[in-house]
Amino acid sequence: MDRLWEAIGRSAPRVKLRVFSAGSCTHPEWVTIRGGSLRSVRIPALFACIEHPQAGPILFDTGYSDRFFRETDPFPDRLYRMVTPVRFEAGQSAAERLRASGIPPESIRQIVVSHFHADHVAGLHDFPQAEFLYEREALESMRRLRGIRAVKRGFLPGLLPGDFDRRARPFAPESRIEVPEALLPRFPFRRVTDVLGDGSLLAVDLPGHAYGQIGLLLRTERGPALLCADAAWSAAAYRENRPPSALAGIIMPDRRAYADSFRALRELHEAFPELTILASHCPEAERLYAAEGAPL
């Protein structure tokens, strides 16, 4: 994977990566993974804290917060809560998890948003000093939706802070970098986005599950990692080629794009076994990394 950074001409600093959980939801297992059982399973909402040597702590998503319940009280937003039962207890928000780990929430100045589903942005209100970095399409497409259509796509507008637009920093076109196939032939993405301009955080397009969804490639002291958001819901899914059921496609704006993104994860896993791929709802990732909060 180091050849990726050589190919884009960046000598990127290495970062520390810590994974936390912020609430969870439940679904029948067969919905989340092909061949799953009929039993209901717990699905964690993970977020990451990236400790950058110059920029300080940066978040990748935020998971749930108690604000989710306030926003899903009225109809039709209540349908979201009915279809996706959420479990959240005091002390489980991203801000509280960070504070308990010695990271003051007010020290967070940047949050990379993978996509704008409620289980990824419910904690944005808790970080009043942060700028929001994201793919422009991810939000613009959501904001065109109203009522049931918004609920179907997992969007709750009230989860965005009132001053969101003032702090919004969608990726600039000039931050795109083409990756020559000749230099990295087994890398499935021909374009990356240099989020900070120093090569430390490289966003890759993983659309399908949501409009404009991105994953984030980075290098830690232990090796390269990809935060893949919801391009897969577990490590077992991409390792064993077991995507979610067709029913899960109801919330997806583009099932074909999802299949392409899922295929890209499988190609990455096979071509670069040293790459740690972290899915945002993976119980295995929660058990291995979030339980202790140790840096990867």
Side-chain angles (χ1 to χ4, degrees), residues 18-88:
R18 302 172 72 180
V19 179
F20 301 87
S21 62
S24 62
C25 67
T26 58
H27 275 302
E29 186 180 47
W30 67 269
V31 174
T32 69
I33 189 168
R34 187 173 60 197
S37 68
L38 296 176
R39 66 188 178 93
S40 182
V41 294
R42 177 181 172 277
I43 302 170
L46 305 180
F47 72 96
C49 181
I50 302 159
E51 298 181 34
H52 189 282
Q54 283 79 46
I58 300 168
L59 297 190
F60 181 77
D61 294 337
T62 66
Y64 287 111
S65 76
D66 56 6
R67 194 176 187 91
F68 171 83
F69 298 99
R70 296 197 295 274
E71 294 300 324
T72 52
D73 272 340
F75 187 84
D77 296 333
R78 179 172 285 270
L79 294 172
Y80 191 136
R81 206 158 88 197
M82 294 169 64
V83 174
T84 306
V86 171
R87 298 177 181 176
F88 182 86

Side-chain angles (χ1 to χ4, degrees), residues 19-262:
V19 179
F20 301 87
S21 62
S24 62
C25 67
T26 58
H27 275 302
E29 186 180 47
W30 67 269
V31 174
T32 69
I33 189 168
R34 187 173 60 197
S37 68
L38 296 176
R39 66 188 178 93
S40 182
V41 294
R42 177 181 172 277
I43 302 170
L46 305 180
F47 72 96
C49 181
I50 302 159
E51 298 181 34
H52 189 282
Q54 283 79 46
I58 300 168
L59 297 190
F60 181 77
D61 294 337
T62 66
Y64 287 111
S65 76
D66 56 6
R67 194 176 187 91
F68 171 83
F69 298 99
R70 296 197 295 274
E71 294 300 324
T72 52
D73 272 340
F75 187 84
D77 296 333
R78 179 172 285 270
L79 294 172
Y80 191 136
R81 206 158 88 197
M82 294 169 64
V83 174
T84 306
V86 171
R87 298 177 181 176
F88 182 86
E89 299 175 4
Q92 291 186 339
S93 73
E96 292 166 309
R97 293 289 199 199
L98 293 173
R99 188 178 289 111
S101 296
I103 303 172
E106 56 271 18
S107 69
I108 304 298
R109 298 306 175 97
Q110 293 169 313
I111 300 176
V112 180
V113 180
S114 68
H115 62 292
F116 285 85
H117 284 174
D119 53 337
H120 293 257
V121 300
L124 294 183
H125 272 267
D126 296 331
F127 300 94
Q129 307 300 322
E131 298 177 340
F132 307 116
L133 290 67
Y134 60 95
E135 180 63 51
R136 187 180 297 276
E137 180 196 0
L139 184 56
E140 288 186 351
S141 297
M142 287 291 212
R143 279 181 160 170
R144 290 195 287 266
L145 304 176
R146 296 290 185 275
I148 293 291
R149 293 181 65 216
V151 174
K152 182 180 177 182
R153 294 289 180 242
F155 183 51
L156 300 174
L159 293 178
L160 302 184
D163 63 347
F164 181 92
D165 288 340
R166 180 180 64 80
R167 294 190 275 150
R169 302 292 183 269
F171 299 151
E174 56 269 25
S175 64
R176 316 292 191 192
I177 300 175
E178 299 299 321
V179 180
E181 184 174 4
L183 292 178
L184 209 60
R186 301 189 68 189
F187 187 67
F189 305 102
R190 299 276 62 87
R191 186 187 75 174
V192 299
T193 298
D194 190 352
V195 176
L196 300 183
D198 64 355
S200 60
L201 306 181
L202 300 178
V204 295
D205 296 328
L206 290 171
H209 171 80
Y211 299 110
Q213 177 179 255
I214 57 102
L216 205 60
L217 278 164
L218 43 83
R219 292 193 295 180
T220 76
E221 294 299 330
R222 300 187 183 184
L226 170 66
L227 304 171
C228 75
D230 290 7
W233 283 342
S234 68
Y238 67 77
R239 282 198 304 246
E240 301 168 16
N241 193 21
R242 298 169 65 192
S245 73
L247 182 62
I250 291 175
I251 67 169
M252 299 179 186
D254 191 334
R255 299 187 192 205
R256 181 172 295 181
Y258 177 83
D260 290 341
S261 294
F262 187 82

